Amino acid sequence: MCGIVGAVAERNITAILIEGLKRLEYRGYDSAGIAVIDNDGQLSRLRRSGKVAELDQAQTLEPLSGRLGIAHTRWATHGAPCERNAHPHFSSHELAVVHNGIIENHQALREQLKDLGYLFTSDTDTEVIVHLLHHKLHELGDLATALKAAVQELHGAYGLAVISASQPDRLLAARSGSPLVIGLGLGENFLASDPLALRQVTDRFVYLEEGDIAEIRRESVRIWDLNGQDVQRETVQHQDGAEAADKGEYRHFMLKEIHEQPKVVQRTLEGRLGDAQVLVEAFGPQAAELFAKVRNVQIIACGTSYHAGMVARYWLEGLTGIPCQVEVASEFRYRKVAVQPDSLFVTISQSGETADTLAALRNAKGAGYLASLAICNVATSSLVRESDLTLLTNAGPEIGVASTKAFTTQLVGLLLLTLALGQVHKRLAPGLEAELVEELRRLPSRLGEVLSMEKAVEKVAELFAEKHHTLFLGRGVQYPVAMEGALKLKEISYIHAEAYPAGELKHGPLALVDSDMPVVTVAPNDELLEKLKSNLQEVRARGGQLIVFAAEQAGLEDGEGTHVVSMPHCHEVLAPIYYTLPLQLLSYYVAVLRGTDVDQPRNLAKSVTVE
Ligand code: HGA
């Protein structure tokens, strides 16, 4: 959350900064700002509330020009999203800072700095950083030395970029808890929260590690580690193109990403399937040895990834008999946990920078877990770097704030994990692994068939245009799928949506059902189908409108108050992956009908790097 871009070059860098912010807008979009050292050596700033487009427009009217600058797109944590609170923040027109994260001791620091005579002009926690740095700079003289001293006094999380009018040839950065990457150019260098922001200028990157401080000049980069030692960090070259940040033929990134699912699922499977079994080494060279010791699995995640974890629990316990617990990271990290013996600690996160999930992983170290495994989409992320084993989901950059392809590729990764553990422990029913490997090979083309139902789903979406509340029902492994469907709908259409296990209806939520409350359900042809049908009767008997995504063989038909969208046949185990797709399309088309901002829904942001 919050996007940072910085640049030091021989040319005017404002267009590069604004383009970078546009590419980072998924991380926050309530206000944006840019600061440069202008051609007279002065700090100049432009800030706007609202999206980067507002800043861009303002910039064409009041052009800024400079060869050193920083920029920021904000997702407010402290202080309302308005121009006054937008970054960059200044101290005495000498220093400018942009920040991603939260400074927990900002109140105490603010009081100390006020006593020293500093005037505060915003309500943000960030402003204490710039005044503290200003104070240190005047004590110590050198910007890098001052930054090293200042961060010692900060409690909390930060990714920082700093420029000073008195030292106009260098860009400073500091990382603790929020990601930062340096982009290497020819005679120019850059900084950003995510390499995506810099794809138009470079494909060579250096990732900062926790506690690193960097000094970035046109011709050089210097990095100090946590202990103040000079360090060399590896330079990585990214092959994947800049086109990921374009919508192509699609109206929204979310629709593009929904349609990418056959292709990216194919990528998730690549190199991970043998003739009739999952390749255990896909989880790392020491995976086979570690998996043999696993007697329990603890899954930790947030939001959509948590729903993926819930599906995995049904798979792990149902197919392998290995016990599995799933918990949201923000709860897990703050409670005392009784660790089961020989537990594999599995984290799931699209970005690998999710603050709560990362903190849970760090707490788990030394708590008695056997090993940690990250199911993650970003190879260079903190979660991956700090875990013993990794399975990359290879979904490519996901820009739409509402997660789609990240979820389905996580499910594929978790099914591979289930089969790998089942294989190592010889706990799978005879022939099942070969059967599922075959089904996984067919999955990409089958998902393509599911997506061809788009028109039918778009039609059903019309039923929701005027509604305010919805129930999603599922039974068994389809219950987390219903939860994910409800989350999608509320995220992007702002319709209140709740998911229930269908068997729970009569214990309360049935009281809500009337003709104004659409009830959405997924009904694959599984062993719980007959029970689900009875639950649907309970809804119809109260006048509820049913929207059912049902297997052709389920014997459910359109009728008064019942809209059935027929789904192609699929293997029962893979059904959660198939049935997710129509629910994604449904929320997408409902949101389009209601005219909401599909890719950047209100109050939200992607890559939740704050608590
Ligand atoms: N705390 C700062 C930065 C917020 C942030 O990083 N959000 O993800 C602010 O509120 O401006």
Side-chain angles (χ1 to χ4, degrees):
M1 290 179 149
C2 279
I4 290 177
V5 197
V8 51
E10 191 53 12
R11 52 180 167 155
N12 177 15
I13 41 73
T14 48
I16 296 171
L17 296 181
I18 300 254
E19 175 60 26
L21 288 187
K22 286 183 184 159
R23 289 165 184 251
L24 288 185
E25 220 171 7
Y26 72 89
R27 299 177 68 87
Y29 37 82
D30 60 39
S31 52
I34 176 170
V36 298
I37 310 289
D38 66 21
N39 299 333
D40 301 325
Q42 305 293 316
L43 260 181
S44 296
R45 168 173 71 178
L46 199 57
R47 299 181 293 175
R48 286 292 180 270
S49 67
K51 295 195 170 188
V52 176
E54 305 287 329
L55 180 72
D56 195 11
Q57 202 178 18
Q59 212 278 135
T60 49
L61 299 173
E62 300 168 48
L64 281 185
S65 176
R67 287 176 285 191
L68 171 66
I70 53 177
H72 188 263
T73 177
R74 182 170 185 241
W75 184 83
T77 63
H78 290 62
C82 57
E83 192 170 314
R84 198 168 54 84
N85 289 332
H87 304 211
H89 289 286
F90 278 9
S91 190
S92 307
H93 279 270
E94 190 184 338
L95 275 178
V97 165
V98 290
H99 166 220
N100 170 203
I102 290 176
I103 303 304
E104 287 173 348
N105 58 337
H106 70 101
Q107 207 58 49
L109 286 172
R110 184 177 272 251
E111 294 313 316
Q112 286 170 24
L113 289 158
K114 274 186 185 167
D115 290 345
L116 289 169
Y118 285 99
L119 284 178
F120 281 77
T121 58
S122 80
D123 308 317
T124 63
D125 51 342
T126 303
E127 198 178 351
V128 301
I129 306 173
V130 72
H131 295 314
L132 179 63
L133 187 58
H134 183 270
H135 177 61
K136 298 284 179 199
L137 183 61
H138 282 258
E139 259 180 14
L140 302 165
D142 171 70
L143 190 56
T145 316
L147 184 58
K148 286 178 201 167
V151 297
Q152 297 294 324
E153 295 184 27
L154 302 178
H155 300 169
Y158 53 82
L160 296 176
V162 181
I163 54 174
S164 159
S166 63
Q167 307 190 15
D169 56 345
R170 52 185 183 164
L171 167 64
L172 270 289
R175 174 199 164 140
S176 180
S178 305
L180 277 179
V181 62
I182 297 170
L184 302 175
L186 290 175
E188 53 186 19
N189 286 315
F190 309 92
L191 178 75
S193 305
D194 179 334
L196 196 62
L198 302 176
R199 292 291 172 84
Q200 80 278 22
V201 282
T202 185
D203 61 355
R204 290 185 307 133
F205 297 95
V206 174
Y207 287 85
L208 293 186
E209 305 257 331
E210 285 296 277
D212 280 357
I213 298 222
E215 179 186 71
I216 304 157
R217 297 176 189 261
R218 279 206 311 108
E219 301 284 357
S220 65
V221 170
R222 194 168 170 196
I223 302 173
W224 297 272
D225 70 6
L226 199 60
N227 305 314
Q229 301 297 318
D230 257 302
V231 278
Q232 292 289 331
R233 301 273 178 231
E234 192 193 350
T235 301
V236 290
Q237 188 135 14
H238 286 312
Q239 307 296 353
D240 44 342
E243 78 281 1
D246 294 324
K247 288 196 274 264
E249 69 196 76
Y250 294 98
R251 186 166 161 196
H252 295 101
F253 279 110
M254 182 180 178
L255 191 61
K256 176 184 176 220
E257 288 158 4
I258 288 174
H259 280 273
E260 279 173 357
Q261 289 176 110
K263 181 176 81 192
V264 297
V265 161
Q266 173 76 47
R267 259 199 255 151
T268 312
L269 291 170
E270 265 162 30
R272 289 162 178 174
L273 298 179
D275 283 348
Q277 56 178 20
V278 166
L279 302 175
V280 179
E281 318 80 82
F283 291 85
Q286 72 281 45
E289 197 188 327
L290 274 173
F291 283 2
K293 297 184 193 147
V294 171
R295 283 197 286 148
N296 182 70
V297 175
Q298 171 72 62
I299 298 180
I300 295 299
C302 304
T304 287
S305 304
Y306 170 66
H307 298 151
M310 286 183 70
V311 170
R313 180 162 72 114
Y314 285 91
W315 283 336
L316 274 162
E317 297 202 346
L319 303 180
T320 73
I322 297 174
C324 174
Q325 304 82 44
V326 190
E327 191 166 342
V328 287
S330 53
E331 286 301 313
F332 180 86
R333 65 180 286 195
Y334 287 118
R335 73 180 183 88
K336 199 153 172 15
V337 177
V339 178
Q340 300 294 317
D342 302 315
S343 272
L344 180 66
F345 189 81
V346 178
T347 53
I348 314 171
S349 161
Q350 188 284 126
S351 66
E353 302 294 346
T354 314
D356 285 318
T357 309
L358 206 47
L361 171 66
R362 288 173 183 159
N363 289 355
K365 299 222 163 124
Y369 289 95
L370 181 67
S372 56
L373 163 68
I375 307 247
C376 183
N377 196 27
V378 181
T380 45
S381 62
S382 307
L383 203 66
V384 168
R385 282 184 278 137
E386 295 181 30
S387 297
D388 302 311
L389 302 173
T390 299
L391 189 84
L392 288 176
T393 49
N394 297 337
E398 190 179 63
I399 309 291
V401 165
S403 182
T404 52
K405 62 176 181 170
F407 178 67
T408 41
T409 52
Q410 285 168 353
L411 289 181
V412 170
L414 288 160
L415 185 54
L416 293 176
L417 175 66
T418 304
L419 294 178
L421 283 170
Q423 181 196 122
V424 170
H425 287 267
K426 304 193 176 21
R427 301 284 279 269
L428 296 166
L432 182 64
E433 187 171 13
E435 186 181 321
L436 287 176
V437 164
E438 203 41 48
E439 286 295 330
L440 281 168
R441 283 193 218 286
R442 288 196 204 115
L443 181 62
S445 68
R446 293 262 176 91
L447 292 180
E449 284 168 33
V450 178
L451 289 173
S452 65
M453 301 160 37
E454 188 167 356
K455 282 275 165 265
V457 181
E458 188 177 353
K459 185 100 198 73
V460 169
E462 289 167 16
L463 298 169
F464 292 75
E466 306 296 328
K467 302 291 189 220
H468 300 291
H469 305 277
T470 313
L471 274 181
F472 281 70
L473 303 178
R475 284 198 88 121
V477 71
Q478 295 297 337
Y479 167 48
V481 173
M483 291 174 81
E484 176 56 13
L487 178 65
K488 271 324 78 147
L489 190 71
K490 66 187 133 194
E491 278 179 312
I492 61 168
S493 75
Y494 316 146
I495 293 176
H496 170 219
E498 281 195 68
Y500 270 92
E504 277 289 294
L505 257 191
K506 54 191 171 296
H507 297 287
L510 202 51
L512 295 170
V513 171
D514 62 14
S515 56
D516 266 342
M517 169 78 99
V519 178
V520 181
T521 188
V522 280
N525 190 19
D526 63 16
E527 58 188 24
L528 294 172
L529 179 64
E530 292 311 316
K531 305 251 174 255
L532 181 71
K533 282 182 178 171
S534 311
N535 301 139
L536 300 186
Q537 287 309 320
E538 292 160 14
V539 172
R540 275 306 298 139
R542 273 96 191 156
Q545 295 267 318
L546 282 172
I547 293 92
V548 193
F549 294 95
E552 276 159 9
Q553 307 76 357
L556 284 157
E557 279 170 16
D558 262 353
E560 173 78 16
T562 306
H563 306 268
V564 177
V565 180
S566 199
M567 292 278 294
H569 171 73
C570 69
H571 192 286
E572 189 180 328
V573 171
L574 272 70
I577 308 177
Y578 289 83
Y579 279 78
T580 294
L581 270 51
L583 299 186
Q584 295 170 342
L585 286 168
L586 179 67
S587 20
Y588 173 77
Y589 281 108
V590 173
V592 168
L593 277 174
R594 290 167 69 97
T596 56
D597 190 341
V598 173
D599 285 331
Q600 296 175 342
R602 69 183 182 203
N603 305 341
L604 300 179
K606 214 169 174 70
S607 191
V608 188
T609 53
V610 293
E611 244 191 83

